[in-house]
């Protein structure tokens, strides 16, 4: 009985963790390409969910068409965000970047409130709601979708960074922006790409989680922060470390909420965040690096 | 220095006479909040504008002051004048201790850590229902009282809050133009050079973080005693961002800028009643526009703008 | 006065300095020279507490200062300047030098903010005494200019004035002549000699050989992280190993 319950918590923790991982990788990609922590990252998660809703309800698209459509529009939003807010910044000091991405995130959230209102919206599951029994625990088909899509995204991500010219150029920027520029890589374009990729990933995360948790104009804040937490645990890596960070966070949160107190569920993530920043700012798996302290 | 003093005197007279314009109308109540927000903006500005260290968790310190004062007076029957300093000392010590690990972090990481801290505090307000009343709030907090006068009307509160706000302003101006203030600005401009000439940057940053928390806590206590009711919603992440907006709009490193920012952001929603739900769009837009086009804030940006307009006119006249 | 012994610094597997030892005599101007990448700035960063060495020891006035942070060294009367000039850009020239007097004053946060009588008189003293260093370096007329707006050469003088305000017994200058024109370099040489005449010991890293040979009493030559030679300017100029290292550097 007790074991079944824990299994249940772990399973649902893993599925939220997968979402955190996707958002966290988005954070890392931008951070690695630009040195910016994009406080607006969560808003793209929100946009993904709500745009899917519009595609389904208003445009009457089938779900398989609505999703790519929503991702495309979110990516466009990411592009516009970089072009209109980040690039024109005259004094890109860390504090100004923090302020402008916060400002941008509030603006996006506000616009979303104008468009979709303050209500919470539901999105239908991708394939029914019949629970699947696993051991003594149950899962929804949507959980499987989350796992499957997360794996696919991570594989695509890996392929992009290691086997395409543009992905390799992006890694070069992450390693040394100046040197990358010197060997002829268009760094500004890579920065733009990084914003587009991470807004697309955020949007996907927002879409696949929406059927489980519902969505609203303000879901981006918390999801974004949790994603950041995953990325910090993973040492701002855009690979497996952040995925593990996300899964770990999801499971800990779910266990904490189930076994200790559900009210403090959100606090768990932030306590982990603070502990990691204080004790191991290079992430749980990283080697020492003095950049962050 | 003399000019600073004259400026302060002129400002004090302005504050003193302002109520005569409104004859105790509804706006008086708003002006009380302008005072509280001015204190908070100055507190954050000392940290962000002078020492160059960002905080996205100041609403938490504000809330701690309010709740400590509120709980001590409403639940345990303390005298507000005792509760306020006790709250401030407790919050100051907390900030001092947490400041050492937090301020080791820089830039984006500092922003995230302080944000996390603010959210944890906010969650505690919501969850410790026995103590704080949880999301539904804490009521029955007594008004302040001095020499038989109970500060229970907007006009009385106006003079009480603004008296303290003026003291905070003077305090901040003195600090800015002193040995410690210069050391703070030095840390902001070049931490390594400041250390080389003997400034203990780490300790100084922690001290100013604690001082900033103490001022915020004081503002929180005053808020609790003027409102007599508090709830967690006033102390969330959004309010931290609002404070940041005030400081940035007014001008980093300018005490009167903080007043301008606080006044603008407190009064704006009152004038935009129709757009009340959409005030977050206005905050967001203001932040983006200010950082992009007026990174020095209103206190520097507006005179600059005038100068540019006059210059271009002068140039045209010449041709 | 200052004794560096057996300093080794390894950065992630790369040895930047290997077993470097030398001694600086009180009242001397000591030059540290060497080709690019010799480890001169790394050595300075270790002595002045910016880096902590992998092994070895720095002794200043009979006190082991290895690993002490820069702010502690300032209190022990050691100060440095930077190759790329580190000024407090948002503050006036005068204020920059006033910060230099930080260790010579003590008012705390609260007494400053509450304007206690002693902090008022201390403030007056800081304001007046700091002018002395502006005069000494000849930038009094720029006192109210914001430091960020200074031309490079004046910025260099301000950095030195600010360092002098610490009232050091030793001052380490990292390439003080870098970026100066020949006129300014001449002035700098005079200034450095005048600083020595105040009884302050000077160590400088420099590429301008003419300047080094002109003003230094002793010279330490580094090459590829090791000490190559040490001696008077004349000895160094005649040292075949030094000549080889410099010629080798050119091809």
């Amino acid at each position: 009985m007790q074991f079944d319950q824990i299994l249940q918590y772990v399973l649902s923790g893993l599925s939220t963790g997968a979402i955190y991982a996707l958002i966290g990788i988005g954070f890392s990609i931008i951070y690695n390409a630009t040195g910016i922590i994009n406080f607006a990252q969560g808003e793209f998660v929100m946009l993904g969910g709500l745009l899917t809703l519009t595609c389904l309800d208003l445009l009457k698209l089938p779900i398989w068409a609505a999703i790519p459509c929503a991702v495309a529009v979110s990516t466009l939003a990411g592009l516009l965000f970089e072009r209109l807010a980040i690039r024109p910044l005259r004094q890109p000091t860390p504090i100004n970047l923090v302020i402008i991405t916060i400002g941008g995130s509030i603006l996006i959230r506000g616009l979303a409130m104008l468009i979709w209102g303050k209500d919470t919206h539901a999105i239908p599951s991708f394939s029914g709601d019949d629970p699947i029994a696993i051991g003594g625990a149950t899962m929804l088909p949507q959980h499987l979708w989350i796992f499957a899509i997360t794996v696919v995204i991570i594989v695509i991500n890996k392929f992009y960074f290691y086997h395409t010219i543009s992905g390799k150029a992006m890694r070069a920027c992450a390693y040394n922006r100046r040197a990358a520029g010197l060997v002829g890589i268009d760094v500004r374009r890579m920065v733009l790409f990084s914003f587009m990729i991470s807004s697309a990933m955020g949007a996907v995360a927002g879409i696949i989680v929406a059927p489980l948790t519902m969505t609203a104009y303000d879901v981006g804040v918390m999801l974004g922060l949790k994603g950041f937490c995953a990325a910090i645990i993973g040492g701002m890596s855009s690979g497996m470390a952040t995925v593990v960070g996300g899964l770990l966070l999801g499971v800990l949160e779910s266990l904490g909420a189930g076994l200790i107190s559900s009210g403090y569920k959100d606090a768990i993530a932030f306590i982990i965040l603070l502990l990691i920043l204080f004790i191991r700012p290079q992430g749980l798996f990283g080697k020492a690096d003095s950049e962050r302290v | 220095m003399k000019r600073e003093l004259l400026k302060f005197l002129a400002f004090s007279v302005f504050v003193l006479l302002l109520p005569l314009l409104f004859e105790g109308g509804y706006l008086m109540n708003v002006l009380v909040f302008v005072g509280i927000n001015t204190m908070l903006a100055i507190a954050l500005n000392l940290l962000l504008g002078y020492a160059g260290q960002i905080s996205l968790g100041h609403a938490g310190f504000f809330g701690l002051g309010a709740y400590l004062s509120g709980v001590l007076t409403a639940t345990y029957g303390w005298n507000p004048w005792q509760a306020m300093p006790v709250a401030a000392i407790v919050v100051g010590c907390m900030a001092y201790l947490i400041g050492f690990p937090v301020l080791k972090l820089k830039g984006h990481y500092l922003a995230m850590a302080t944000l996390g801290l603010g959210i944890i505090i906010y969650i505690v307000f919501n969850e410790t229902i026995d103590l704080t009343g949880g999301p539904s709030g804490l009521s029955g907090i007594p008004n302040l009282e001095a020499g038989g006068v109970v500060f229970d009307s907007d006009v009385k509160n106006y003079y009480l809050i603004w008296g303290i706000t003026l003291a905070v302003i003077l305090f901040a101006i003195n600090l800015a133009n002193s040995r410690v203030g210069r050391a703070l600005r030095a840390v902001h401009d070049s931490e390594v050079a400041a250390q080389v000439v003997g400034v203990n940057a780490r300790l100084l940053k922690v001290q100013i973080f604690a001082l900033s928390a103490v001022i915020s806590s004081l503002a929180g206590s005053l808020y609790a005693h003027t409102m007599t009711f508090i709830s967690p919603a006033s102390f969330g992440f959004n309010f931290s961002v609002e404070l940041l907006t005030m400081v940035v709009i007014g001008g980093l490193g300018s005490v009167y800028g903080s007043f301008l920012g606080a006044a603008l952001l407190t009064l704006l929603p009152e004038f935009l009643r129709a757009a009340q739900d959409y005030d977050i769009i206005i905050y967001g837009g203001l932040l983006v526009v200010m950082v992009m086009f007026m990174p020095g804030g209103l206190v520097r940006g507006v005179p600059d703008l005038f100068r540019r307009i006059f210059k271009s006119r002068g140039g045209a006249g010449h041709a | 006065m200052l004794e560096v012994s057996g300093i080794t610094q390894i950065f992630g597997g790369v040895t930047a300095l290997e077993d470097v030892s030398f001694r600086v005599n009180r009242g001397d101007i000591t030059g540290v020279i060497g080709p690019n990448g010799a480890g001169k700035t790394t050595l300075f960063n270790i002595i002045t507490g910016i880096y902590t060495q992998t092994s070895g020891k720095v002794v200043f006035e009979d006190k082991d200062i290895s690993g002490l942070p820069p702010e502690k060294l300032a209190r022990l009367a050691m100060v440095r300047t930077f190759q790329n000039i580190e000024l407090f850009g948002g503050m006036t020239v005068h204020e920059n030098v006033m910060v230099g007097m930080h260790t010579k004053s003590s008012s705390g946060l609260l007494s400053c903010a509450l304007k206690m009588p002693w902090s008022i008189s201390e403030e007056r003293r800081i304001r007046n005494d700091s002018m002395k260093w502006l005069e000494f370096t000849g930038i009094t007329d720029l006192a109210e200019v914001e430091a960020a707006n200074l031309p490079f050469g004046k910025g260099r003088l301000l950095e030195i004035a600010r360092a002098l305000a610490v009232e050091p017994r030793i001052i380490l200058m990292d390439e003080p002549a870098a970026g100066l024109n020949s006129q300014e370099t001449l002035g700098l040489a005079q200034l450095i000699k005048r600083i020595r005449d105040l009884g302050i010991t000077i160590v400088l890293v420099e590429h301008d050989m003419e300047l080094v040979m002109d003003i230094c009493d002793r010279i330490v030559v580094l090459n590829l992280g090791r000490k190559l030679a040490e001696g008077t300017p004349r000895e160094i100029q005649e040292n075949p190993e030094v000549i080889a290292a410099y010629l080798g550097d050119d091809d």
Side-chain angles (χ1 to χ4, degrees):
Chain A
M1 186 61 193
Q2 186 68 11
F3 173 78
D4 290 348
Q5 216 165 34
I6 289 180
L7 181 68
Q8 184 69 58
Y9 292 142
V10 170
L11 281 175
S12 62
L14 284 174
S15 74
T16 21
I19 303 295
Y20 297 159
L22 284 183
I23 303 168
I25 291 176
F27 265 110
S28 306
I29 289 174
I30 292 182
Y31 178 78
N32 289 332
T34 63
I36 298 171
I37 302 284
N38 179 16
F39 279 78
Q41 183 66 17
E43 307 314 324
F44 297 102
V45 180
M46 171 273 290
L47 281 180
L50 287 174
L51 282 167
T52 308
L53 181 85
T54 303
C55 289
L56 288 171
D57 287 2
L58 211 66
L59 306 178
K60 305 288 180 212
L61 291 177
I63 187 98
W64 54 265
I67 293 174
C69 203
V71 174
V73 176
S74 308
T75 311
L76 187 69
L79 180 145
L80 288 176
F81 183 63
E82 197 275 340
R83 271 299 170 87
L84 299 179
I86 307 291
R87 195 177 289 191
L89 204 58
R90 268 177 279 171
Q91 299 172 5
T93 59
I95 286 187
N96 280 351
L97 285 166
V98 169
I99 296 170
I100 200 132
T101 55
I102 287 181
S105 101
I106 300 176
L107 204 55
I108 296 173
R109 203 181 317 145
L111 292 173
M113 187 176 79
L114 272 184
I115 299 171
W116 288 285
K118 285 183 159 182
D119 300 331
T120 317
H121 304 276
I123 288 180
S125 304
F126 296 178
S127 55
D129 293 309
D130 300 329
I132 307 160
I134 295 177
T138 54
M139 283 177 90
L140 294 171
Q142 189 65 28
H143 286 122
L144 295 181
W145 278 108
I146 290 179
F147 291 131
I149 292 177
T150 305
V151 169
V152 169
I153 296 280
I154 289 167
V155 169
I156 294 176
N157 196 34
K158 198 93 181 166
F159 180 82
Y160 171 74
F161 277 109
Y162 286 86
H163 298 284
T164 65
I165 292 289
S166 133
K168 286 178 184 171
M170 188 96 85
R171 272 169 56 218
C173 289
Y175 192 70
N176 185 334
R177 230 165 301 154
R178 182 122 56 98
L182 286 175
V183 297
I185 294 170
D186 187 344
V187 176
R188 279 167 43 130
R189 206 158 110 199
M190 289 301 133
V191 169
L192 185 66
F193 273 4
S194 72
F195 272 86
M196 289 167 66
I197 295 173
S198 41
S199 46
M201 289 181 71
V204 170
I207 294 168
I208 58 181
V209 76
L212 289 178
T213 59
M214 316 259 268
T215 187
Y217 78 102
D218 60 353
V219 296
V221 186
M222 263 309 162
L223 282 172
L225 293 173
K226 302 280 180 65
F228 174 78
C229 189
I232 281 285
I233 298 176
M236 296 315 276
S237 118
S238 45
M240 280 318 281
T242 294
V243 176
V244 176
L247 295 178
L248 198 65
L249 178 64
V251 171
L252 282 175
E253 234 185 42
S254 160
L255 284 175
L259 303 176
I260 304 169
S261 140
S262 61
Y264 287 102
K265 178 174 150 257
D266 290 334
I268 292 170
F270 292 103
I271 290 169
I272 295 174
L273 172 73
L274 286 181
L275 287 178
I276 296 267
L277 283 175
F278 293 170
I279 301 164
R280 284 190 70 85
Q282 72 273 27
L284 220 46
F285 320 106
K287 289 204 195 94
D289 167 19
S290 54
E291 262 288 297
R292 271 144 233 161
V293 285
Chain B
M1 222 40 237
K2 242 186 200 146
R3 246 182 40 214
E4 281 295 339
L5 206 63
L6 279 177
K7 240 203 270 178
F8 177 74
L9 285 177
F11 185 71
S12 306
V13 171
F14 165 74
V15 166
L16 212 68
L17 298 180
L18 200 58
L20 301 181
L21 271 172
F22 302 110
E23 304 266 337
Y26 166 72
L27 216 53
M28 285 301 294
N29 177 270
V30 182
L31 289 175
V32 170
F33 289 111
V34 173
I36 289 173
N37 286 339
T38 300
M39 275 186 250
L40 288 167
I42 288 174
L44 183 59
N45 205 348
L46 284 175
L47 188 69
L48 180 61
Y50 288 98
Q53 310 300 311
I54 198 166
S55 166
L56 293 176
H58 258 54
F61 296 127
F62 175 52
L64 279 175
Y67 269 104
L68 279 169
S69 247
V71 171
L72 284 175
T73 53
T75 314
Y76 294 99
W78 285 37
N79 180 326
W81 292 111
Q82 287 171 329
M84 274 204 298
V86 167
I89 290 167
V90 170
V91 173
C93 291
M94 272 178 60
Y96 190 81
L97 290 179
I98 197 91
F100 280 98
V102 166
L103 289 157
K104 237 164 69 181
L105 302 164
K106 291 201 163 95
H108 300 102
Y109 288 84
L110 179 63
M112 276 295 182
T114 48
L115 191 164
L117 200 64
I119 293 185
I120 292 172
I121 296 173
Y122 173 73
I123 293 172
V124 170
F125 292 154
N126 271 303
E127 296 302 322
T128 49
I129 297 171
D130 293 342
L131 209 61
T132 62
S136 48
L138 181 71
S139 55
I141 304 168
N143 282 118
L144 283 160
E145 200 183 324
V149 182
V150 181
F151 292 92
D152 54 359
S153 75
D154 287 338
V155 178
K156 285 185 213 162
N157 273 324
Y158 176 89
Y159 283 106
L160 171 76
I161 298 289
W162 271 99
I164 298 172
T165 305
L166 286 173
V168 169
I169 289 177
L170 192 62
F171 185 91
I173 290 173
N174 286 345
L175 188 67
N177 294 303
S178 73
R179 167 183 185 268
V180 174
R182 279 189 301 270
L184 280 175
R185 285 184 284 154
V187 169
H188 186 179
D189 286 349
S190 167
E191 189 164 333
V192 67
Q195 287 172 314
V196 161
V197 296
V199 176
N200 188 341
R202 189 149 172 232
L203 184 66
L204 196 62
K205 283 195 270 184
V206 174
Q207 283 180 336
I208 204 72
F209 186 67
L211 175 71
S212 181
V214 166
I215 298 175
S216 306
S217 162
L218 184 71
S221 297
L222 291 168
Y223 175 79
H225 293 301
T226 47
M227 289 288 284
T228 68
F229 168 81
I230 50 177
S231 75
S234 322
F235 313 112
F237 174 53
N238 283 341
F239 191 64
S240 285
V241 171
E242 206 177 307
L243 288 176
L244 179 75
T245 315
M246 292 175 194
V247 174
V248 172
I249 287 180
L252 290 169
S254 162
V255 172
Y256 294 105
S258 291
F259 160 72
L260 269 183
L264 192 68
L265 250 68
T266 320
L267 293 171
L268 207 59
E270 303 299 324
F271 293 124
L272 296 169
R273 287 255 138 190
Q276 207 176 26
D277 271 358
Y278 306 114
D279 54 354
I280 69 165
I281 304 179
I282 296 166
Y283 294 156
L286 277 175
L287 266 180
V288 172
V289 168
M290 289 304 288
V291 174
M292 285 218 281
F293 302 108
M294 239 185 229
L298 288 176
V299 277
R300 279 177 282 270
V302 170
D304 255 13
L305 206 64
F306 272 109
R307 229 168 287 146
R308 229 176 297 159
I309 292 167
F310 275 106
K311 237 186 206 164
S312 65
R313 274 203 193 144
H318 226 60
Chain C
M1 175 84 182
L2 179 74
E3 194 178 343
V4 173
S5 50
I7 292 285
T8 299
Q9 177 70 306
I10 299 171
F11 290 121
V14 179
T15 307
L17 286 174
E18 195 178 342
D19 197 25
V20 173
S21 305
F22 65 91
R23 192 190 268 273
V24 172
N25 299 322
R26 187 177 298 275
D28 270 4
I29 299 178
T30 304
V32 178
I33 62 169
N36 284 325
K40 305 178 298 280
T41 296
T42 306
L43 180 66
F44 257 40
N45 283 340
I46 289 171
I47 297 175
T48 56
I50 314 265
Y51 298 161
T52 304
Q53 64 271 34
T54 314
S55 67
K57 192 158 89 154
V58 185
V59 175
F60 175 58
E61 296 184 328
D62 302 325
K63 191 177 188 314
D64 188 353
I65 58 163
S66 317
L68 287 185
E71 66 265 20
K72 288 239 171 72
L73 297 176
R75 290 188 184 274
L76 295 173
M78 175 190 283
V79 68
R80 71 169 288 178
T81 65
F82 294 87
Q83 186 181 342
N84 302 317
I85 326 188
E86 291 280 343
L87 296 174
F88 307 133
M91 302 163 73
T92 67
V93 167
H94 192 185
E95 282 175 320
N96 264 268
V97 181
M98 287 163 84
V99 176
M101 295 186 63
H102 194 80
T103 58
K104 298 288 161 215
S105 46
S106 61
S107 292
L109 202 140
L110 284 181
S111 52
C112 280
L114 299 175
K115 282 219 158 185
M116 291 307 184
W118 60 87
S119 64
I120 294 177
S121 67
E122 186 176 79
E123 177 74 11
R124 200 174 301 129
R125 179 172 64 83
I126 294 174
R127 195 161 282 278
N128 293 334
D129 289 4
S130 50
M131 284 310 286
K132 180 168 83 187
W133 300 112
L134 291 180
E135 280 161 32
F136 187 84
T137 49
I139 48 173
T140 317
D141 51 328
L142 299 171
E144 297 310 319
V145 177
E146 203 167 271
N149 299 329
L150 286 182
F152 194 83
K154 300 291 180 193
R156 181 72 75 192
L157 294 176
L158 171 57
E159 202 189 17
I160 293 173
R162 188 181 67 198
L164 289 171
V166 180
E167 296 183 25
R169 285 192 292 282
I170 190 166
I171 177 166
L172 292 95
M173 300 185 184
D174 193 356
E175 298 203 27
L180 301 188
N181 61 35
S182 55
Q183 192 69 34
E184 289 168 331
T185 307
L186 273 171
L188 178 77
Q190 291 311 311
L191 179 63
I192 292 176
K193 285 179 187 166
R194 279 166 54 219
I195 294 171
R196 193 235 340 245
D197 294 343
L198 293 174
I200 299 172
T201 309
I202 295 158
V203 184
L204 47 96
V205 162
E206 192 44 76
H207 271 300
D208 185 329
M209 280 308 144
E210 212 174 319
L211 177 72
V212 171
M213 295 303 164
D214 173 29
I215 61 173
C216 288
D217 301 301
R218 288 187 71 77
I219 292 174
V220 175
V221 188
L222 293 184
N223 189 27
L224 302 172
R226 292 160 183 266
K227 187 172 82 173
L228 195 64
E230 186 178 357
T232 63
R234 180 170 292 269
E235 285 163 5
I236 294 299
Q237 272 168 321
E238 289 163 357
N239 185 317
E241 276 185 84
V242 175
I243 294 167
Y246 269 85
L247 290 178
D249 188 49
D250 277 349
D251 65 32

